[in-house]
Amino acid sequence: TTFFPIAGYRKFGDLPFILLLLIFIVTSSLIALNLREGIAPDEVGHFAFAKYFSTTLGLPKDTPETVAIGWQIQHNPFLYHWVTGRAIQTLRILRPSIADSTLLIVLRLMSTLMSAGSLIFLYLTSKLLIKNKWLQLMPVFLLINTLMFVFLSGAVSYDNLANFFSFAAIYFFTCIFLGKNFTTYSILMIICLGLACLVKFSALPLAFGLVSWWIYLALSRKNELRKLKFEKRQAFLILIAVVVIVINIALYGYNVITYGSVTPTCEQVVDENLCQTSVFAKRYQELALPEKLSIKESIEEGYPDPVEYVFYSWIPNILYRIYGILAQLSYFPRHTIVLFYILYLSYLVLGVRVLPKKPGTIFVAFATLFVLYGVVLLRMNYNAELIYGFKQIGMHGRYLFPVLGVFYIILSKILEKG
């Protein structure tokens, strides 16, 4: 096993994959170059934060302007804005007169590269698990035809960096599961999970799922692990992992102890009056019900019960937001989405028959990751429905992107075995 795990993939370069990757890069780059400002979800806020972070090497303080955007800097994940801030800082050193419009395009093209990295890791994972040469391409093909993924990849968004680290962590986990160098790939997985969590707190369910499976693997292979020897070349990776873990503990551990939550509310870290200027506070004032409904009250008022909500509202609307575009402007190709819905149901019925049923299979691990992520997202969305009266506030399909790749791999494996 080589120290840098991707270096061993000397045939990176199956021509069909390269063509798919180039098609994606060209398409996403065209979006980056031509998309009007203010359309992509939260792009205005992410760009403003990136420029603000470029004014200091550390973490800047919250201001009335940043609070009004709707996010707090204090005690929240910061890595994406810190990285893009460094990019802006470098560009301004090289070209002091650079215009904001040019900076925006550069950050958008960085997003394209991040998503291209996600596709590479997805393909590497697919190659490990799927024998058929052409079906190895299917997860990548499906992802570059996922409309919201391509659209978001041409915009300034922290989702793209979170997706990159998530796809990388899943690849390293797959290597561990298949019996490759346990120590090296474990360290790399932990680094990527930690970095993903420093980009966006919604990576925490993935971290919980992968670490839980990693513990299961470590316990089931404890006799083999006793024979492992420490290699000097792993020392640098261990140092990085320790730093990443310490920062995560300092962030999330402090928040849980101090605020009782992984991320504090605005009022817990910023002046309450200032928080009322936030776009989220204004949305709550304009759209929220006078009081949050209980499940029983929502049913009595004619809203769907939880089971009806899942199958008749949540799943269809999540599909709209994955295979359509939800931003300041929206585009939902309903005929395409209905087709995906039917295909997925058919695939899953077939999958029950053809996929291996041994508890230790990696496809069980992938399925649990996808279900875990889905349940967490469903719970968040249903809670918001009880607050806002089932107006689909905050329902975004892009929140499933960190595990969408593993879902596509499962579909490809079903097709291979069917």
Side-chain angles (χ1 to χ4, degrees):
T1 304
T2 133
F3 173 63
F4 188 60
I6 303 178
Y9 185 56
R10 295 183 178 85
K11 292 186 179 179
F12 164 77
D14 286 354
L15 183 59
F17 170 69
I18 290 181
L19 291 176
L20 287 176
L21 188 63
L22 288 175
I23 290 170
F24 166 78
I25 291 174
V26 169
T27 304
S28 183
S29 297
L30 287 173
I31 293 173
L33 294 171
N34 295 289
L35 184 67
R36 295 203 315 270
E37 295 182 28
I39 294 180
D42 300 327
E43 184 178 65
V44 172
H46 286 304
F47 186 46
F49 267 60
K51 289 191 292 182
Y52 184 44
F53 269 70
S54 72
T55 61
T56 176
L57 287 175
L59 300 182
K61 299 293 184 181
D62 286 296
T63 67
E65 292 75 19
T66 61
V67 173
I69 291 172
W71 307 315
Q72 297 82 53
I73 296 172
Q74 298 178 62
H75 309 294
N76 273 276
F78 56 86
L79 186 59
Y80 176 77
H81 299 122
W82 188 88
V83 169
T84 50
R86 302 290 68 73
I88 290 175
Q89 197 172 39
T90 302
L91 289 168
R92 283 175 170 164
I93 291 173
L94 297 175
R95 188 179 169 189
S97 61
I98 191 168
D100 277 3
S101 57
T102 304
L103 291 174
L104 179 64
I105 289 175
V106 171
L107 295 191
R108 286 176 172 180
L109 292 174
M110 284 177 60
S111 290
T112 295
L113 294 178
M114 293 171 191
S115 291
S118 298
L119 289 172
I120 291 172
F121 276 113
L122 176 61
Y123 185 52
L124 291 171
T125 307
S126 180
K127 282 180 70 69
L128 290 175
L129 299 173
I130 299 172
K131 296 178 182 178
N132 184 286
K133 177 181 177 181
W134 296 107
L135 287 177
Q136 291 171 354
L137 295 167
M138 184 174 168
V140 175
F141 178 80
L142 289 172
L143 195 56
I144 69 170
N145 282 280
T146 301
L147 194 55
M148 190 63 194
F149 178 81
V150 179
F151 176 77
L152 198 65
S153 298
V156 178
S157 172
Y158 59 180
D159 289 280
N160 297 306
L161 187 57
N163 293 339
F164 170 75
F165 287 129
S166 298
F167 278 55
I170 290 168
Y171 167 71
F172 297 132
F173 169 76
T174 304
C175 292
I176 298 167
F177 211 114
L178 296 180
K180 297 181 182 292
N181 190 312
F182 187 91
T183 306
T184 298
Y185 288 111
S186 295
I187 299 169
L188 289 168
M189 183 192 77
I190 291 169
I191 290 173
C192 289
L193 286 176
L195 292 175
C197 292
L198 292 178
V199 173
K200 195 175 181 184
F201 81 93
S202 59
L204 289 171
L206 178 65
F208 173 79
L210 285 181
V211 171
S212 297
W213 272 102
W214 180 86
I215 292 172
Y216 163 78
L217 291 176
L219 293 175
S220 63
R221 300 175 185 175
K222 55 186 178 183
N223 292 330
E224 300 173 32
L225 298 184
R226 289 194 185 102
K227 301 176 184 178
L228 293 178
K229 294 181 180 180
F230 173 76
E231 300 177 21
K232 290 183 180 179
R233 57 186 179 177
Q234 295 170 344
F236 181 65
L237 289 179
I238 292 173
L239 177 61
I240 296 175
V242 169
V243 171
V244 171
I245 291 171
V246 168
I247 296 174
N248 272 275
I249 292 173
L251 175 64
Y252 292 112
Y254 179 86
N255 287 346
V256 170
I257 293 171
T258 306
Y259 304 112
S261 173
V262 292
T263 55
T265 63
C266 179
E267 290 77 11
Q268 288 177 313
V269 295
V270 181
D271 179 77
E272 187 174 349
N273 293 326
L274 195 57
C275 289
Q276 297 307 309
T277 65
S278 163
V279 293
F280 295 113
K282 292 177 181 178
R283 183 181 70 182
Y284 180 84
Q285 294 166 3
E286 294 171 2
L287 300 176
L289 299 172
E291 290 186 8
K292 178 183 175 181
L293 298 171
S294 67
I295 295 177
K296 181 180 178 181
E297 289 170 341
S298 71
I299 296 172
E300 290 174 348
E301 294 195 18
Y303 295 118
D305 63 51
V307 176
E308 290 175 329
Y309 175 75
V310 170
F311 291 99
Y312 294 102
S313 177
W314 189 73
I315 291 178
N317 280 297
I318 284 293
L319 289 174
Y320 289 153
R321 287 153 172 77
I322 292 175
Y323 299 103
I325 294 175
L326 177 66
Q328 272 71 7
L329 299 177
S330 302
Y331 169 64
F332 297 144
R334 296 182 183 274
H335 58 287
T336 304
I337 292 163
V338 170
L339 175 62
F340 271 108
Y341 195 19
I342 295 171
L343 285 175
Y344 287 164
L345 288 176
S346 303
Y347 263 109
L348 295 177
V349 169
L350 179 63
V352 172
R353 183 177 65 85
V354 303
L355 280 182
K357 296 181 174 61
K358 292 189 298 182
T361 176
I362 192 167
F363 296 100
V364 173
F366 279 2
T368 58
L369 289 176
F370 187 77
V371 170
L372 173 65
Y373 231 87
V375 168
V376 171
L377 181 58
L378 170 62
R379 185 178 180 278
M380 290 174 56
N381 290 155
Y382 192 71
N383 184 65
E385 302 288 31
L386 296 175
I387 294 172
Y388 288 97
F390 291 79
K391 298 185 178 99
Q392 299 167 13
I393 301 297
M395 186 184 291
H396 300 292
R398 68 180 187 271
Y399 293 164
L400 275 175
F401 286 171
V403 293
L404 191 59
V406 302
F407 180 67
Y408 287 157
I409 288 176
I410 291 173
L411 295 182
S412 304
K413 192 64 178 180
I414 291 173
L415 186 60
E416 182 181 47
K417 296 186 76 68

